[in-house]
Every structure is written in C-alpha cells, then in structure tokens.
Coordinates of all heavy atoms in Angstrom, one line a residue:
M92 N -106.4 42.7 19.5 CA -105.3 42.0 20.1 C -104.1 42.9 20.2 O -103.9 43.8 19.3 CB -105.0 40.8 19.2 CG -104.0 39.8 19.8 SD -104.7 38.6 20.8 CE -104.5 37.2 19.8
Y93 N -103.3 42.8 21.2 CA -102.1 43.6 21.5 C -100.9 42.8 21.6 O -100.9 41.6 22.1 CB -102.3 44.4 22.8 CG -103.4 45.4 22.7 CD1 -104.7 45.0 23.2 CD2 -103.3 46.6 22.1 CE1 -105.7 45.9 23.1 CE2 -104.3 47.5 22.1 CZ -105.6 47.2 22.5 OH -106.6 48.0 22.5
K94 N -99.7 43.3 21.2 CA -98.4 42.7 21.4 C -97.6 43.7 22.2 O -97.5 44.9 21.9 CB -97.7 42.5 20.1 CG -96.3 41.9 20.2 CD -95.7 41.7 18.9 CE -94.3 41.1 19.0 NZ -93.7 40.9 17.7
I95 N -97.2 43.2 23.4 CA -96.4 44.0 24.3 C -95.0 43.4 24.3 O -94.9 42.2 24.6 CB -97.0 44.0 25.7 CG1 -98.5 44.5 25.7 CG2 -96.2 44.8 26.7 CD1 -99.5 43.6 26.1
T96 N -94.0 44.2 24.1 CA -92.6 43.8 24.1 C -91.9 44.5 25.2 O -91.9 45.7 25.3 CB -92.0 44.1 22.7 OG1 -92.7 43.5 21.7 CG2 -90.5 43.6 22.7
L97 N -91.3 43.7 26.1 CA -90.6 44.2 27.2 C -89.1 44.0 27.0 O -88.7 42.9 26.6 CB -91.0 43.6 28.5 CG -92.5 43.5 28.8 CD1 -92.8 42.6 29.9 CD2 -93.0 44.9 29.1
D98 N -88.3 45.0 27.3 CA -86.8 44.8 27.3 C -86.5 44.6 28.8 O -86.9 45.4 29.7 CB -86.1 46.0 26.8 CG -86.2 46.1 25.3 OD1 -86.2 45.1 24.6 OD2 -86.3 47.2 24.8
I99 N -85.9 43.4 29.1 CA -85.7 43.1 30.5 C -84.2 42.8 30.8 O -83.5 42.1 30.0 CB -86.5 41.8 30.9 CG1 -88.0 42.2 30.7 CG2 -86.2 41.3 32.3 CD1 -88.9 41.0 31.0
D100 N -83.7 43.3 31.9 CA -82.3 43.1 32.3 C -82.2 42.1 33.4 O -83.1 42.1 34.3 CB -81.7 44.5 32.8 CG -80.3 44.3 33.1 OD1 -79.5 43.7 32.3 OD2 -79.9 44.9 34.2
G101 N -81.3 41.2 33.3 CA -81.0 40.2 34.4 C -81.4 38.8 34.1 O -81.0 37.9 34.9
M102 N -82.0 38.5 32.9 CA -82.3 37.1 32.6 C -81.0 36.5 32.1 O -80.3 37.0 31.2 CB -83.4 37.0 31.5 CG -84.8 37.4 32.0 SD -86.1 36.9 30.8 CE -85.7 38.0 29.4
A103 N -80.6 35.3 32.6 CA -79.4 34.6 32.2 C -79.6 33.2 31.7 O -78.6 32.6 31.2 CB -78.4 34.6 33.4
C104 N -80.8 32.7 31.9 CA -81.0 31.3 31.5 C -82.5 31.0 31.3 O -83.3 31.8 31.4 CB -80.5 30.3 32.6 SG -81.4 30.5 34.2
G105 N -82.8 29.7 30.9 CA -84.1 29.3 30.7 C -85.0 29.4 31.9 O -86.2 29.7 31.8
M106 N -84.4 29.2 33.1 CA -85.2 29.3 34.3 C -85.6 30.7 34.6 O -86.7 31.0 35.1 CB -84.4 28.8 35.5 CG -85.2 28.3 36.6 SD -86.3 27.0 36.1 CE -87.4 26.9 37.5
C107 N -84.7 31.7 34.2 CA -85.0 33.1 34.3 C -86.2 33.4 33.5 O -87.2 34.1 33.9 CB -83.9 34.0 33.9 SG -82.4 33.8 34.9
E108 N -86.2 32.9 32.2 CA -87.4 33.1 31.3 C -88.7 32.6 31.9 O -89.7 33.3 31.9 CB -87.1 32.4 30.0 CG -85.9 32.9 29.2 CD -85.5 32.0 28.1 OE1 -86.1 30.9 27.9 OE2 -84.6 32.4 27.4
A109 N -88.6 31.4 32.6 CA -89.8 30.8 33.2 C -90.3 31.7 34.3 O -91.5 31.9 34.5 CB -89.5 29.4 33.7
H110 N -89.4 32.3 35.1 CA -89.8 33.1 36.2 C -90.5 34.4 35.7 O -91.5 34.8 36.3 CB -88.5 33.6 37.1 CG -87.9 32.5 37.9 ND1 -86.6 32.4 38.0 CD2 -88.5 31.4 38.5 CE1 -86.3 31.3 38.8 NE2 -87.5 30.7 39.1
V111 N -90.0 35.0 34.7 CA -90.6 36.2 34.1 C -92.0 35.8 33.5 O -93.0 36.5 33.8 CB -89.7 36.8 33.0 CG1 -90.4 37.9 32.3 CG2 -88.4 37.4 33.7
N112 N -92.0 34.7 32.8 CA -93.3 34.3 32.2 C -94.4 34.1 33.2 O -95.5 34.5 33.1 CB -93.1 33.0 31.3 CG -92.3 33.3 30.1 OD1 -92.0 34.4 29.7 ND2 -91.9 32.2 29.5
E113 N -94.0 33.4 34.3 CA -94.9 33.1 35.4 C -95.4 34.4 36.1 O -96.6 34.6 36.4 CB -94.3 32.2 36.4 CG -95.2 31.7 37.5 CD -96.4 31.0 37.0 OE1 -96.3 30.3 36.0 OE2 -97.5 31.0 37.7
A114 N -94.5 35.3 36.3 CA -94.8 36.6 36.9 C -95.9 37.4 36.0 O -96.8 37.9 36.5 CB -93.6 37.5 37.1
V115 N -95.7 37.3 34.7 CA -96.7 38.0 33.8 C -98.0 37.3 33.9 O -99.0 37.9 34.0 CB -96.1 37.9 32.3 CG1 -97.2 38.3 31.3 CG2 -94.9 38.8 32.2
R116 N -98.0 35.9 33.9 CA -99.3 35.2 33.9 C -100.1 35.5 35.2 O -101.3 35.4 35.3 CB -99.0 33.7 33.8 CG -98.7 33.3 32.4 CD -98.6 31.8 32.2 NE -98.0 31.5 30.9 CZ -96.8 31.1 30.7 NH1 -95.9 30.9 31.7 NH2 -96.4 30.8 29.5
K117 N -99.3 35.8 36.3 CA -100.0 36.0 37.6 C -100.8 37.3 37.6 O -101.7 37.5 38.4 CB -99.0 36.0 38.7 CG -98.5 34.6 39.1 CD -97.6 34.6 40.3 CE -97.2 33.2 40.6 NZ -96.2 33.2 41.8
V118 N -100.3 38.3 36.8 CA -101.0 39.6 36.9 C -101.9 39.9 35.7 O -102.6 40.9 35.7 CB -100.0 40.8 37.0 CG1 -99.3 40.7 38.4 CG2 -99.0 40.8 35.9
A119 N -101.8 39.1 34.6 CA -102.6 39.4 33.4 C -103.1 38.1 32.8 O -102.4 37.1 32.8 CB -101.7 40.2 32.5
D120 N -104.3 38.2 32.2 CA -104.8 37.1 31.4 C -104.3 37.2 30.0 O -104.7 38.1 29.2 CB -106.3 37.1 31.4 CG -106.9 35.9 30.7 OD1 -106.3 34.9 30.6 OD2 -108.1 36.0 30.3
V121 N -103.2 36.5 29.6 CA -102.6 36.6 28.4 C -102.8 35.4 27.5 O -103.1 34.3 28.0 CB -101.1 36.8 28.5 CG1 -100.8 38.1 29.3 CG2 -100.4 35.7 29.2
K122 N -102.8 35.6 26.2 CA -102.9 34.5 25.2 C -101.6 33.8 25.1 O -101.6 32.6 25.0 CB -103.3 35.1 23.8 CG -104.7 35.6 23.7 CD -105.6 34.5 23.7 CE -107.0 34.9 23.4 NZ -108.0 33.8 23.6
K123 N -100.5 34.5 25.1 CA -99.2 33.9 25.0 C -98.1 34.8 25.6 O -98.2 36.0 25.5 CB -98.9 33.7 23.5 CG -97.6 33.0 23.2 CD -97.4 32.8 21.7 CE -96.1 32.1 21.4 NZ -95.9 31.9 20.0
V124 N -97.1 34.2 26.2 CA -96.0 35.0 26.8 C -94.7 34.1 26.5 O -94.7 33.0 26.8 CB -96.1 35.4 28.2 CG1 -96.3 34.2 29.1 CG2 -94.9 36.2 28.7
T125 N -93.7 34.8 25.9 CA -92.5 34.1 25.7 C -91.3 35.1 26.0 O -91.4 36.3 25.7 CB -92.3 33.7 24.2 OG1 -92.5 34.8 23.3 CG2 -93.3 32.6 23.8
S126 N -90.3 34.5 26.6 CA -89.1 35.3 27.0 C -87.9 34.7 26.4 O -87.8 33.5 26.2 CB -89.0 35.3 28.5 OG -90.1 36.0 29.1
S127 N -86.9 35.6 26.2 CA -85.6 35.1 25.6 C -84.5 35.8 26.4 O -84.4 37.0 26.4 CB -85.5 35.5 24.1 OG -84.2 35.3 23.7
H128 N -83.8 35.0 27.2 CA -82.7 35.6 27.9 C -81.6 36.1 27.0 O -80.9 37.1 27.3 CB -82.1 34.6 29.0 CG -81.4 33.4 28.4 ND1 -82.0 32.3 27.9 CD2 -80.0 33.2 28.2 CE1 -81.1 31.5 27.5 NE2 -79.9 32.0 27.7
S129 N -81.4 35.4 25.9 CA -80.3 35.9 25.0 C -80.6 37.2 24.3 O -79.7 38.0 24.0 CB -80.0 34.8 23.9 OG -81.2 34.5 23.1
K130 N -81.9 37.5 24.1 CA -82.3 38.7 23.5 C -82.6 39.8 24.5 O -82.7 41.0 24.3 CB -83.5 38.6 22.6 CG -83.3 37.7 21.3 CD -84.6 37.6 20.6 CE -84.4 36.7 19.4 NZ -85.7 36.5 18.7
G131 N -82.9 39.3 25.8 CA -83.3 40.2 26.8 C -84.7 40.8 26.7 O -85.0 41.9 27.0
T132 N -85.6 39.9 26.1 CA -86.9 40.4 25.8 C -88.0 39.4 26.3 O -87.8 38.2 26.4 CB -87.2 40.6 24.3 OG1 -87.0 39.4 23.6 CG2 -86.2 41.7 23.7
T133 N -89.2 40.0 26.5 CA -90.4 39.2 26.7 C -91.5 39.7 25.8 O -91.6 41.0 25.7 CB -90.8 39.3 28.2 OG1 -89.8 38.7 29.0 CG2 -92.2 38.6 28.4
E134 N -92.2 38.8 25.1 CA -93.3 39.2 24.2 C -94.5 38.6 24.8 O -94.6 37.5 25.1 CB -93.0 38.8 22.8 CG -91.9 39.5 22.2 CD -91.7 39.2 20.7 OE1 -92.3 38.2 20.2 OE2 -90.9 39.8 20.0
I135 N -95.6 39.5 24.8 CA -96.9 39.1 25.4 C -97.9 39.4 24.3 O -97.9 40.5 23.7 CB -97.2 39.9 26.6 CG1 -96.1 39.8 27.7 CG2 -98.6 39.5 27.2 CD1 -96.2 40.8 28.8
L136 N -98.8 38.4 24.1 CA -100.0 38.6 23.3 C -101.2 38.6 24.2 O -101.4 37.7 25.0 CB -100.1 37.5 22.2 CG -99.0 37.5 21.2 CD1 -99.3 36.4 20.2 CD2 -98.8 38.8 20.5
S137 N -102.0 39.6 24.1 CA -103.2 39.8 24.9 C -104.4 40.4 24.2 O -104.2 41.2 23.3 CB -102.8 40.7 26.1 OG -103.9 40.9 26.9
E138 N -105.6 40.0 24.6 CA -106.8 40.5 24.0 C -107.0 41.9 24.4 O -107.7 42.7 23.7 CB -108.0 39.7 24.4 CG -108.0 38.3 23.8 CD -108.3 38.2 22.4 OE1 -108.9 39.2 21.8 OE2 -108.0 37.2 21.7
V139 N -106.5 42.3 25.6 CA -106.8 43.6 26.2 C -105.4 44.3 26.6 O -104.4 43.6 26.7 CB -107.7 43.6 27.4 CG1 -109.1 43.1 27.1 CG2 -107.1 42.7 28.5
E140 N -105.4 45.6 26.7 CA -104.2 46.3 27.2 C -103.9 45.8 28.6 O -104.9 45.6 29.4 CB -104.4 47.8 27.1 CG -104.4 48.3 25.7 CD -104.3 49.8 25.7 OE1 -103.5 50.4 26.4 OE2 -105.2 50.4 24.9
I141 N -102.7 45.7 28.9 CA -102.3 45.3 30.3 C -101.6 46.5 30.9 O -100.9 47.3 30.3 CB -101.3 44.2 30.2 CG1 -101.9 42.9 29.5 CG2 -100.8 43.8 31.6 CD1 -100.9 41.8 29.2
D142 N -102.0 46.7 32.2 CA -101.4 47.8 33.0 C -99.9 47.7 33.1 O -99.4 46.7 33.7 CB -102.1 47.8 34.4 CG -101.6 49.0 35.2 OD1 -100.7 49.7 34.9 OD2 -102.3 49.2 36.3
E143 N -99.2 48.7 32.5 CA -97.7 48.6 32.5 C -97.2 48.6 33.9 O -96.2 47.9 34.2 CB -97.2 49.8 31.8 CG -95.7 49.9 31.7 CD -95.1 51.1 30.9 OE1 -95.8 51.6 30.0 OE2 -94.0 51.5 31.3
A144 N -97.7 49.3 34.8 CA -97.2 49.4 36.2 C -97.3 48.0 36.9 O -96.4 47.6 37.6 CB -98.0 50.4 37.0
K145 N -98.4 47.3 36.7 CA -98.6 46.0 37.2 C -97.5 45.0 36.7 O -97.0 44.2 37.4 CB -100.0 45.4 37.0 CG -101.0 46.0 37.8 CD -102.4 45.3 37.6 CE -103.5 45.9 38.4 NZ -104.8 45.3 38.1
L146 N -97.3 45.1 35.4 CA -96.3 44.2 34.7 C -94.9 44.5 35.3 O -94.2 43.6 35.7 CB -96.2 44.5 33.2 CG -97.2 43.8 32.3 CD1 -97.0 44.2 30.9 CD2 -97.0 42.3 32.4
R147 N -94.5 45.8 35.4 CA -93.2 46.2 36.0 C -93.1 45.7 37.4 O -92.1 45.1 37.8 CB -93.1 47.7 35.9 CG -92.7 48.2 34.6 CD -92.5 49.8 34.7 NE -92.2 50.3 33.4 CZ -91.0 50.4 32.9 NH1 -90.0 50.0 33.6 NH2 -90.8 50.9 31.7
E148 N -94.1 45.9 38.2 CA -94.1 45.5 39.6 C -93.9 44.0 39.8 O -93.1 43.5 40.5 CB -95.3 46.0 40.3 CG -95.4 45.7 41.8 CD -96.6 46.2 42.4 OE1 -97.3 47.1 41.9 OE2 -97.0 45.6 43.5
A149 N -94.7 43.2 39.0 CA -94.6 41.8 39.1 C -93.2 41.2 38.7 O -92.7 40.3 39.3 CB -95.7 41.1 38.3
I150 N -92.7 41.7 37.6 CA -91.4 41.3 37.1 C -90.3 41.7 38.0 O -89.4 40.9 38.3 CB -91.2 41.7 35.6 CG1 -92.2 41.0 34.7 CG2 -89.8 41.5 35.1 CD1 -92.3 41.6 33.3
E151 N -90.3 42.9 38.4 CA -89.2 43.5 39.2 C -89.2 42.8 40.6 O -88.2 42.7 41.2 CB -89.3 45.0 39.3 CG -88.9 45.5 37.9 CD -88.9 47.1 37.8 OE1 -89.1 47.7 38.8 OE2 -88.5 47.5 36.7
A152 N -90.4 42.3 41.1 CA -90.5 41.6 42.3 C -89.7 40.3 42.3 O -89.3 39.7 43.3 CB -91.9 41.4 42.7
T153 N -89.5 39.7 41.0 CA -88.7 38.5 40.9 C -87.2 38.7 40.7 O -86.5 37.8 40.6 CB -89.3 37.7 39.7 OG1 -89.1 38.4 38.5 CG2 -90.7 37.3 39.8
G154 N -86.8 40.0 40.7 CA -85.4 40.3 40.7 C -84.9 40.8 39.3 O -83.7 41.0 39.2
Y155 N -85.8 40.9 38.3 CA -85.3 41.4 37.0 C -85.8 42.8 36.9 O -86.7 43.3 37.6 CB -86.0 40.5 35.9 CG -85.7 39.0 36.2 CD1 -86.6 38.2 36.8 CD2 -84.4 38.5 35.9 CE1 -86.3 36.9 37.0 CE2 -84.1 37.2 36.1 CZ -85.1 36.4 36.7 OH -84.8 35.1 37.0
R156 N -85.2 43.5 35.9 CA -85.5 45.0 35.8 C -86.1 45.2 34.4 O -85.5 44.8 33.4 CB -84.2 45.8 35.9 CG -84.5 47.3 36.0 CD -83.3 48.0 36.6 NE -82.1 47.8 35.8 CZ -81.4 48.7 35.1 NH1 -81.9 49.9 35.0 NH2 -80.4 48.4 34.4
V157 N -87.2 45.8 34.3 CA -87.9 46.2 33.1 C -87.3 47.5 32.6 O -87.4 48.5 33.2 CB -89.4 46.3 33.2 CG1 -90.0 46.7 31.9 CG2 -90.0 45.0 33.8
L158 N -86.6 47.4 31.4 CA -86.0 48.6 30.8 C -86.9 49.4 30.0 O -86.8 50.6 29.9 CB -84.7 48.2 30.0 CG -83.7 47.4 30.8 CD1 -82.6 46.9 29.8 CD2 -83.1 48.2 31.9
S159 N -87.8 48.7 29.2 CA -88.8 49.5 28.4 C -90.0 48.6 28.1 O -89.9 47.3 28.2 CB -88.1 49.9 27.1 OG -87.8 48.8 26.2
V160 N -91.1 49.2 27.8 CA -92.3 48.5 27.4 C -92.8 49.2 26.1 O -93.0 50.4 26.0 CB -93.4 48.7 28.5 CG1 -94.7 48.0 28.1 CG2 -92.9 48.1 29.8
K161 N -93.1 48.3 25.1 CA -93.7 48.8 23.9 C -95.0 48.1 23.6 O -95.1 46.8 23.7 CB -92.7 48.5 22.7 CG -91.4 49.2 22.8 CD -90.5 48.8 21.7 CE -89.0 49.0 22.1 NZ -88.2 47.9 22.2
L162 N -96.0 48.8 23.3 CA -97.4 48.3 23.1 C -97.7 48.6 21.6 O -97.6 49.7 21.1 CB -98.4 48.9 24.0 CG -99.9 48.6 23.7 CD1 -100.1 47.1 24.1 CD2 -100.8 49.5 24.5
A163 N -98.2 47.6 20.9 CA -98.6 47.7 19.5 C -99.8 46.8 19.2 O -99.9 45.8 19.8 CB -97.4 47.4 18.6
P164 N -100.7 47.3 18.3 CA -101.7 46.4 17.8 C -101.1 45.2 17.2 O -100.0 45.2 16.6 CB -102.5 47.2 16.8 CG -102.0 48.6 16.9 CD -100.7 48.6 17.6
Y165 N -101.8 44.0 17.3 CA -101.3 42.8 16.7 C -102.4 42.1 15.9 O -103.5 42.0 16.4 CB -100.9 41.9 17.9 CG -100.4 40.5 17.4 CD1 -99.1 40.3 16.9 CD2 -101.2 39.4 17.4 CE1 -98.7 39.1 16.4 CE2 -100.8 38.2 17.0 CZ -99.5 38.0 16.5 OH -99.1 36.8 16.0
E166 N -102.0 41.7 14.7 CA -102.9 40.9 13.9 C -102.2 39.6 13.6 O -101.0 39.6 13.2 CB -103.2 41.6 12.6 CG -104.2 42.8 12.8 CD -104.6 43.3 11.4 OE1 -104.7 42.6 10.4 OE2 -104.9 44.5 11.4
K167 N -102.9 38.5 13.8 CA -102.3 37.2 13.6 C -102.0 37.1 12.1 O -102.8 37.4 11.3 CB -103.3 36.1 14.0 CG -102.7 34.7 14.0 CD -103.6 33.7 14.5 CE -103.0 32.3 14.5 NZ -103.9 31.3 15.1
K168 N -100.8 36.7 11.8 CA -100.4 36.5 10.5 C -100.7 35.1 10.0 O -100.5 34.1 10.7 CB -98.9 36.7 10.3 CG -98.4 38.1 10.6 CD -97.0 38.3 10.4 CE -96.6 39.8 10.6 NZ -96.2 40.1 11.9
G169 N -101.3 35.0 8.8 CA -101.7 33.7 8.3 C -101.7 33.9 6.8 O -101.4 34.9 6.2
F170 N -102.1 32.8 6.2 CA -102.2 32.9 4.7 C -103.7 32.8 4.3 O -104.5 32.2 5.1 CB -101.4 31.8 4.0 CG -101.9 30.4 4.3 CD1 -102.7 29.9 3.4 CD2 -101.4 29.7 5.4 CE1 -103.2 28.6 3.6 CE2 -101.9 28.4 5.6 CZ -102.8 27.9 4.7
S171 N -104.0 33.3 3.2 CA -105.4 33.3 2.7 C -105.4 32.5 1.4 O -104.5 32.6 0.6 CB -105.8 34.7 2.5 OG -107.1 34.7 1.9
I172 N -106.5 31.8 1.3 CA -106.6 31.1 0.0 C -107.1 32.0 -1.1 O -107.2 31.7 -2.3 CB -107.5 29.8 0.1 CG1 -108.9 30.2 0.6 CG2 -106.9 28.8 1.1 CD1 -109.9 29.1 0.6
F173 N -107.5 33.2 -0.7 CA -108.0 34.2 -1.6 C -106.9 35.2 -1.9 O -106.3 35.7 -1.1 CB -109.2 35.0 -1.0 CG -110.3 34.0 -0.6 CD1 -110.5 33.7 0.7 CD2 -111.2 33.4 -1.6 CE1 -111.5 32.8 1.1 CE2 -112.2 32.6 -1.2 CZ -112.3 32.3 0.1
H174 N -106.7 35.4 -3.2 CA -105.6 36.3 -3.6 C -106.3 37.6 -4.2 O -107.2 37.5 -5.0 CB -104.7 35.7 -4.6 CG -104.0 34.5 -4.1 ND1 -102.9 34.5 -3.3 CD2 -104.3 33.1 -4.2 CE1 -102.5 33.3 -2.9 NE2 -103.3 32.5 -3.5
K175 N -105.7 38.7 -3.9 CA -106.1 40.0 -4.6 C -105.6 40.0 -6.0 O -104.5 39.6 -6.2 CB -105.6 41.2 -3.8 CG -106.2 41.3 -2.4 CD -105.7 42.5 -1.7 CE -106.4 42.6 -0.4 NZ -105.9 43.8 0.4
K176 N -106.4 40.5 -6.9 CA -106.0 40.6 -8.3 C -105.6 42.1 -8.6 O -105.9 43.0 -8.0 CB -107.1 40.2 -9.2 CG -107.3 38.7 -9.1 CD -108.4 38.3 -10.1 CE -108.6 36.8 -10.0 NZ -109.5 36.4 -11.0

C-alpha cells in the first residue's frame, strides 16, 4: 500500500477539495483520497503506485497547481491484542 501526499496551491474551500478528489478518482483507482484546503494538501491511499504525471495533469486541468508529490509505503495502523514481551 502507498501513501501519496500532494502539496496543492489554489484550494480555498470544501468545494475545491471535492474538485481535486474527483480529479484524482478519475485517473486512479484509489482506496482513499482526502484534501484539505486549509493545509493545502491531498492525501491518497492506493494499492499500487500512481503515475505522477497523470495526477498532476488531472489536478492542474481543474485549475489547481501541484507544488510537490511525496510517495511513501503505507501500513495501516491498528492495535494488536498480542503484546511483545
């Protein structure tokens, strides 16, 4: 699983977040996508790596600017009933 974090310029409200999320969903099969206009970020969880160029093109076509893209492995955080001794 991968976590992709995008820094995005131009989001000003919840509707902007929705536009960015929809643009991401159109170009990639993602598990989850969330955007924050106040932080200027979009976080994507995906089973596979997503083509950065496609992401940039889709988001920038909606009028927002992608400033950076960070890709990192992602492991779902949870709790275990088993404790290490």
